[in-house]
Amino acid sequence: MNENIIELVNLTKKYGSFTAVDQLDLTIRKGEVFGLLGPNGAGKSTTILMLLGLTEPTSGSVRVCGIDPVTNPIEVKKKVGYLPEDVGFYYNLSGWENLMFTARLNRMSGKEASMKVELLLEKVGLTEAAGKKTGKYSRGMLQRLGLAEVLIKNPEVIILDEPTLGIDPAGVVEFLQLIARLSRQEGITVLLSSHDLHQVQKICDRVGIFVGGKLLAQGDLKTLSQVLFEGNPFVIEAGIGFDSSGLQLADNKAQEEWVKRILASVVGVQAVSKNGNLFRIHCTRDATGEIAKAIVESGAQLYYLNRKEYGLDEIYYRYFEGGKKNERKE
Amino acid sequence: MRFITGILKEEKRMKEKNNNLIGRIQQYISKTKGPGFYRADDRVYHPFNVIVQKEISDHVRSWRFIILLVIISLTCLGSMYTAMSSIKETIKPNDPEGSFVFLKLFTSSDGILPSFVVFLGFLGPLLGISLGFDAVNSEQSKGTLSRIISQPIHRDYILNAKFMASLIVVSVMFFALGFLVMGFGLISIGIPPTPGEFLRIIIFIFISIIYVAFWLNLSIVFSVKFRQPATAALSGIAIWLFFAIFYEMIVDLIMKGLVPPTGLVTEAQMINFENFRLNLLRISPSQLFSDATTTLLMPNVRSLGPLSLVQVIGTIPGPLSLTQSLMLVWPQVTGLIAATIICFVISYVSFMRKEIRSR
C-alpha cells in the first residue's frame, strides 16, 4: 500500500511570465483517493495535463506508475484514465457506440470490447440508456458515462477533473459514492480535483490544498487542521439568548464584548466572534464544559452548543481568501 | 440444506443475469449499423483505422455530405446533358481531336452551362472546405478532443485519420462520379473510350482529388487555428472566393500597370509579359488545376504559355501523347501536391504543439 504511484518533484509550469504551477512536490500512494482542492485557476487542471503528458512541464519531473509522461505518454495513457472537466461525447452516437469507440482505441477485440462496455454500463447504471444518443443524456448521465469510459482500459489510476461540476446534489452524492466504491473494490488510485470542499471531504483519504500554483498543505483532514490551525485548533459554537437576562446589547459588537467578558475566566479562550446567530469561540484546548457553565451562570440562555470539527470550510475560507487575490480567468 | 439451495439459487440468478447480458449485447449488435469496429468479433483494429472508420461513417451520415453529394451529382448530370447535346457540333471533320470524342464528355459545353471540368474546379474547393472546416475545433467544443487524446494513441493519429477519412470519402465519390459519367457516355454516344482516353480520365480524377485535398488541408489548418467552426469555414470560403473571383482581376490590374501600350513592345517582350502574367496566375491553385485538367483532357493543347510565331510555324496540328501531356502538366501537379503538403505541415505542427484543455 505504500507504493508511490504518482510522484511530482519540483514541478513548474509557466505560461510566459505567468506561473501556473510553482515548484510542486506531491506523492500519491497506490490505492488512495486524493483530492486536489483549490479555487478556479489554481493550476489544478494544468497539473493534471502534465501528469498525462498532454502538456510539457517547464521544469521538474513527473512520474506516473514509474513512467515519465513527457517522454513516454502512450504508456502512461495506457494506465491512467482521465475524465476531463465538462466531458463531451459524440452526440450523434449512442452511449454504447461512444464507449465502443474508446474501447477500440485501446486495441480491444470486438468481443472483449462489447463485454467490457456492457459491464461498465451496468456498473454506472446506464444500461437502459445505452442505445440512446448521448445528445439526449442529462449532465449526470454524461458524467457517469464518462466514468465508464475512463474504466474501459482497466486503469491503475483515474484522474477526475472537477467531476461533480454541474450535477445536482443528489447526483453528486451518488456519483462520489460510485467513485469511492470503485476505488475500494478494484484498488484503483483516484486523483480528483475540485473546488467544492464538501465533496472532496466526503470521499478523499487525503487532500491537498492548492492555491496560486502552490500546494499549501496536504494530508488527511485531521493533520490538515493541525497544520493550518496551529494557534487555536478548537472552535465552539454557541447560541446565546439575551431576552431574559435583562441585558441591553444593541449590536453584535456589544454582544461579542459581553461574551468575551463572561468567558474571561475560562482558560484557553482566544477570541470570540459572532457569525450569523451563533458565537464562535476559538480556544487552544477543549473547554466546552467550562464555557457552557460560564454562560449559564451569567444569566443568559444557552440554547445551542457545538464543538466544531475542523471541516474544510474553515480551511477553505482561511486559505482561499488569499488565493482570490491572484485569481485568474481559466 | 437451506444454505445449499441458497447457493444454487444464487448461481441460477447469476446465470440468468449472464444470459440477459449476452442477449442484450446481441440486441445492440444487431441494432447497430455502422463501422466495423462496432462488431463483436475477434479482430483487433489499429486505433488509426478505428478513427478513420468512425470519421468516414460520420461524414457519410452527415447532412452536409448528403447536400454536397446532391449538388455535385446535379452538376454532373447537368454538364453531361449539355455535353451530350453539343457533342455533335464539337466534332468537326479533320479535327486533330477527332479521335478523342470520349474526352469531350468532360470538356465540351453548349455555352450556357459550363463543362464538367469547369464545374469541378469551382465546386471542388467547396467540397474540400466543407469536409474539413470543423475537423478539430468541433471536437474541441464538443469536449471530445481531450477525451480522445487521453487514450493511448499518438496525437497525430487524430489529424491524420481525419484527413485520411475525408480523402477516402472524396476519392470514392469522384471515382464513382467519373465512372458514372463514363458509363452514361458509353451508353448514349456508343463509342467506347480508347485505353489512352481511359487513362487520361483516371489521371484527371486523381488530379481532382489532389485539388480537393489541398482545400481540405487548408480548411483543416483553419480548424486547428480558429476555435469557432464558423470562422474557420468563412476563412476557407474567403480564400476560395479570392482565388476564384478577385485574383484574376488583381493580376490583370497589375499587368495593365506594367505592360506598355501595344506597338511599343516587341513580340519577345510581349511573350515575356504574358508568361509573367501566367506565372502570377499560377499562384492560385484553381489555375493550376484548370491548367492540368485542360491539358489532360484536351490532347491538342501543346503549351500552357504563349508561343511565338517562330515556334508555331511548321508544326503539324496533332494530339500529344499521354506521356507528353503529363510532362506538360507535371509542374502543375507537383505544385498542387506541394501546396497540399505545406498546408498539412502547418496544421500538423500547430496541432502537435497545441495544449488541449477541455472546452
Side-chain angles (χ1 to χ4, degrees):
Chain A
M1 278 303 271
N2 273 331
E3 196 186 330
N4 289 336
I5 205 146
I6 295 177
E7 280 179 311
L8 307 179
V9 181
N10 228 350
L11 191 68
T12 305
K13 174 75 185 179
K14 286 182 178 164
Y15 293 104
S17 60
F18 176 78
T19 310
V21 177
D22 195 1
Q23 301 191 331
L24 176 67
D25 290 300
L26 179 67
T27 45
I28 295 172
R29 287 187 298 273
K30 198 172 163 58
E32 77 178 337
V33 181
F34 190 90
L36 207 52
L37 185 68
N40 294 334
K44 291 171 296 187
S45 298
T46 311
T47 310
I48 289 173
L49 290 184
M50 284 191 281
L51 282 177
L52 287 158
L54 296 182
T55 186
E56 281 182 29
T58 314
S59 65
S61 83
V62 186
R63 293 252 147 202
V64 179
C65 308
I67 308 162
D68 185 355
V70 177
T71 54
N72 205 349
I74 302 287
E75 285 306 310
V76 171
K77 287 188 219 166
K78 271 182 192 162
K79 296 186 173 181
V80 181
Y82 167 52
L83 179 64
E85 184 182 348
D86 197 6
V87 64
F89 287 90
Y90 297 106
Y91 50 77
N92 52 338
L93 301 180
S94 70
W96 184 85
E97 287 167 328
N98 266 296
L99 290 192
M100 272 307 266
F101 179 56
T102 309
R104 290 297 206 152
L105 285 184
N106 283 288
R107 297 176 192 254
M108 285 184 173
S109 78
K111 263 185 197 151
E112 197 188 347
S114 57
M115 278 308 240
K116 185 88 195 168
V117 166
E118 192 60 32
L119 276 172
L120 285 172
L121 282 171
E122 178 108 35
K123 221 174 235 183
V124 298
L126 283 175
T127 314
E128 300 299 311
K132 229 167 64 164
K133 296 235 186 315
T134 53
K136 293 190 174 122
Y137 277 25
S138 71
R139 189 86 203 90
M141 285 161 86
L142 283 177
Q143 211 68 24
R144 276 185 283 155
L145 189 63
L147 189 62
E149 196 236 17
V150 161
L151 293 169
I152 279 182
K153 54 179 126 173
N154 294 323
E156 290 177 26
V157 186
I158 57 178
I159 298 178
L160 313 168
D161 197 357
E162 301 277 2
T164 51
L165 213 65
I167 318 180
D168 60 75
V172 166
V173 172
E174 200 184 319
F175 187 70
L176 289 175
Q177 278 167 355
L178 191 60
I179 293 171
R181 199 164 61 235
L182 288 169
S183 164
R184 306 272 182 278
Q185 280 172 3
E186 321 206 352
I188 302 172
T189 314
V190 179
L191 171 65
L192 88 139
S193 88
S194 180
H195 62 263
D196 194 321
L197 41 117
H198 291 290
Q199 299 165 359
V200 172
Q201 198 172 2
K202 265 175 217 149
I203 62 160
C204 290
D205 302 323
R206 279 201 310 146
V207 173
I209 310 267
F210 205 59
V211 177
K214 283 191 174 114
L215 198 65
L216 291 179
Q218 55 169 312
D220 56 20
L221 281 181
K222 213 171 143 201
T223 30
L224 264 188
S225 41
Q226 271 166 12
V227 171
L228 296 174
F229 297 90
E230 261 178 313
N232 29 7
F234 292 93
V235 169
I236 288 134
E237 283 185 329
I240 304 174
F242 298 103
D243 299 341
S244 60
S245 63
L247 289 162
Q248 294 296 316
L249 298 166
D251 57 348
N252 287 346
K253 196 90 191 147
Q255 291 177 359
E256 276 173 21
E257 285 304 315
W258 183 81
V259 175
K260 242 182 228 173
R261 220 173 43 239
I262 295 182
L263 297 178
S265 59
V266 182
V267 181
V269 172
Q270 296 282 320
V272 176
S273 62
K274 187 156 187 198
N275 187 13
N277 286 325
L278 299 177
F279 291 89
R280 284 175 160 228
I281 305 157
H282 298 256
C283 331
T284 51
R285 63 185 189 93
D286 187 357
T288 321
E290 289 157 64
I291 289 170
K293 200 173 155 221
I295 293 172
V296 171
E297 280 173 358
S298 74
Q301 289 165 315
L302 180 66
Y303 60 80
Y304 178 86
L305 191 71
N306 177 30
R307 192 182 74 221
K308 244 181 116 55
E309 285 290 327
Y310 263 109
L312 282 168
D313 254 329
E314 280 70 28
I315 299 168
Y316 198 86
Y317 290 121
R318 192 165 278 211
Y319 279 88
F320 289 6
E321 264 148 30
K324 269 183 192 135
K325 283 171 212 147
N326 41 33
E327 199 166 309
R328 72 179 167 108
K329 248 188 100 200
E330 201 166 27
Chain B
M1 193 58 200
R2 246 167 63 197
F3 182 62
I4 293 170
T5 47
I7 289 176
L8 284 176
K9 263 185 197 161
E10 177 73 5
E11 208 166 338
K12 203 179 156 203
R13 211 174 54 82
M14 291 285 281
K15 242 183 208 164
E16 271 171 7
K17 206 175 162 192
N18 268 342
N19 283 343
N20 277 344
L21 205 69
I22 289 160
R24 270 209 301 272
I25 293 168
Q26 275 160 357
Q27 190 189 326
Y28 286 125
I29 292 156
S30 58
K31 250 197 253 168
T32 308
K33 290 167 281 175
F37 66 81
Y38 289 147
R39 252 173 259 138
D41 48 14
D42 286 320
R43 283 185 66 183
V44 175
Y45 291 95
H46 192 272
F48 184 77
N49 290 344
V50 175
I51 307 179
V52 171
Q53 282 182 21
K54 183 195 156 288
E55 287 300 319
I56 291 178
S57 115
D58 280 358
H59 275 317
V60 173
R61 286 146 186 250
S62 69
W63 274 107
R64 176 191 347 180
F65 181 73
I66 293 167
I67 291 168
L68 281 168
L69 190 67
V70 169
I71 291 178
I72 290 182
S73 309
L74 280 179
T75 315
C76 200
L77 277 178
S79 57
M80 227 167 64
Y81 173 75
T82 56
M84 300 282 197
S85 55
S86 62
I87 205 156
K88 262 182 227 144
E89 289 97 75
T90 47
I91 304 167
K92 297 163 212 108
N94 301 329
D95 186 353
E97 278 182 61
S99 50
F100 292 99
V101 182
F102 210 79
L103 295 181
K104 295 267 190 221
L105 276 177
F106 290 86
T107 52
S108 71
S109 81
D110 58 0
I112 302 164
L113 268 178
S115 67
F116 184 66
V117 173
V118 174
F119 255 135
L120 210 58
F122 189 70
L123 287 178
L126 187 67
L127 182 67
I129 290 169
S130 56
L131 286 182
F133 74 91
D134 62 350
V136 174
N137 49 17
S138 75
E139 295 259 350
Q140 172 104 43
S141 60
K142 271 188 278 184
T144 46
L145 190 58
S146 54
R147 207 163 51 79
I148 301 302
I149 57 166
S150 64
Q151 303 306 325
I153 54 167
H154 292 284
R155 190 188 269 215
D156 57 342
Y157 280 4
I158 298 168
L159 206 62
N160 298 356
K162 279 183 180 277
F163 174 62
M164 193 58 141
S166 304
L167 204 62
I168 289 173
V169 168
V170 169
S171 308
V172 168
M173 183 169 152
F174 275 16
F175 271 104
L177 283 178
F179 286 136
L180 273 180
V181 170
M182 279 162 79
F184 278 124
L186 197 60
I187 292 168
S188 58
I189 60 175
I191 307 168
T194 62
E197 281 177 313
F198 181 73
L199 270 179
R200 277 172 190 271
I201 292 169
I202 296 292
I203 295 169
F204 157 69
I205 294 173
F206 263 117
I207 294 177
S208 313
I209 292 168
I210 296 171
Y211 180 55
V212 175
F214 165 76
W215 290 100
L216 178 66
N217 265 326
L218 188 73
S219 65
I220 290 179
V221 171
F222 289 132
S223 87
V224 176
K225 289 274 175 205
F226 298 122
R227 272 189 84 103
Q228 297 293 334
T231 318
L234 270 178
S235 326
I237 290 172
I239 289 189
W240 166 46
L241 285 181
F242 174 76
F243 280 126
I245 298 171
F246 300 111
Y247 189 65
E248 210 176 329
M249 285 197 239
I250 292 169
V251 169
D252 281 345
L253 211 68
I254 294 171
M255 291 319 290
K256 246 179 212 160
L258 282 178
V259 182
T262 32
L264 290 177
V265 280
T266 62
E267 194 192 16
Q269 278 175 316
M270 206 59 210
I271 285 174
N272 279 343
F273 275 125
E274 183 59 17
N275 271 332
F276 179 62
R277 192 183 80 89
L278 281 174
N279 282 338
L280 275 186
L281 278 178
R282 279 178 193 140
I283 292 173
S284 155
S286 36
Q287 182 66 31
L288 293 180
F289 174 70
S290 70
D291 275 4
T293 47
T294 43
T295 314
L296 270 173
L297 294 179
M298 298 178 177
N300 63 336
V301 173
R302 357 188 74 217
S303 164
L304 288 166
L307 292 172
S308 69
L309 212 55
V310 186
Q311 283 170 304
V312 178
I313 284 172
T315 51
I316 306 156
L320 289 180
S321 68
L322 178 58
T323 45
Q324 291 295 318
S325 289
L326 267 182
M327 286 274 275
L328 201 57
V329 298
W330 199 242
Q332 271 77 3
V333 176
T334 38
L336 270 180
I337 295 174
T340 312
I341 291 174
I342 288 171
C343 285
F344 186 74
V345 167
I346 294 173
S347 59
Y348 191 91
V349 168
S350 51
F351 183 68
M352 293 304 273
R353 297 180 55 183
K354 200 177 164 122
E355 185 185 279
I356 291 150
R357 289 186 170 258
S358 46
R359 33 185 138 173

